[in-house]
């Protein structure tokens, strides 16, 4: 009995090596992008400029500016600060997701971002 080898089956090692190289390239691009995003600043202004916040891509608050007129209303000030922080975090996450999808071709890779 003769065994037939499917056409192109002899190239499996070569195909595997190519896939590994592509995966390594993608991993390097993702690492570079993560470093780039972490180095960026994400400015946010809420309440018509009453609160300005700058957050780094590492989600660390770099600066917070509060106009004196809103400092009198503590509850409103708290809401504005919460809103600014949430907006900055959303900007970082959306930017990361959009730019990662360019590298991954829209395929979600759990645990990477």
């Amino acid at each position: 009995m003769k065994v037939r080898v499917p056409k192109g089956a002899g190239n499996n090692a070569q195909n595997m090596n190519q896939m590994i190289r592509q995966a390594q390239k993608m991993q390097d691009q993702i690492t570079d992008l993560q470093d780039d995003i972490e180095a960026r600043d994400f400015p946010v202004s809420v309440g018509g400029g009453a609160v300005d916040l700058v957050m780094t891509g590492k989600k660390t608050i770099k600066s917070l500016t509060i106009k004196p007129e809103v400092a009198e209303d503590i509850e409103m000030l708290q809401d504005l600060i919460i809103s600014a922080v949430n907006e900055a975090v959303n900007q970082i996450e959306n930017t990361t997701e959009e730019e990662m999808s360019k590298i991954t071709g829209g395929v979600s890779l759990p645990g990477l971002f």
Side-chain angles (χ1 to χ4, degrees):
M1 173 177 192
K2 289 186 177 182
V3 176
R4 288 189 147 158
V5 177
K7 193 172 187 176
N11 294 332
N12 281 343
Q14 188 177 28
N15 289 341
M16 183 62 77
N17 286 336
Q18 183 179 9
M19 284 177 41
I20 291 170
R21 280 193 299 273
Q22 287 174 337
Q24 182 62 46
K25 181 180 176 186
M26 184 183 293
Q27 184 178 6
D28 292 344
Q29 289 174 325
I30 289 170
T31 300
D32 291 344
L33 179 60
Q34 287 172 328
D35 292 343
D36 177 53
I37 289 173
E38 287 179 357
R40 292 185 203 174
D41 288 342
F42 293 83
V44 173
S45 183
V46 296
V51 173
D52 294 320
L53 178 127
V54 177
M55 185 176 282
T56 69
K58 289 184 176 184
K59 299 179 184 169
T60 302
I61 296 174
K62 189 173 185 177
S63 69
L64 175 66
T65 306
I66 300 169
K67 289 201 173 168
E69 54 268 18
V70 290
E72 297 170 8
D73 186 348
I74 297 297
E75 287 181 15
M76 182 173 69
L77 179 58
Q78 290 170 336
D79 289 342
L80 289 171
I81 292 171
I82 290 169
S83 178
V85 170
N86 288 338
E87 177 62 27
V89 169
N90 286 336
Q91 279 185 17
I92 294 165
E93 290 176 355
N94 289 339
T95 299
T96 301
E97 186 175 322
E98 286 173 17
E99 295 189 21
M100 285 289 183
S101 70
K102 292 175 187 175
I103 294 172
T104 64
V107 175
S108 178
L109 302 172
L112 286 180
F113 57 94

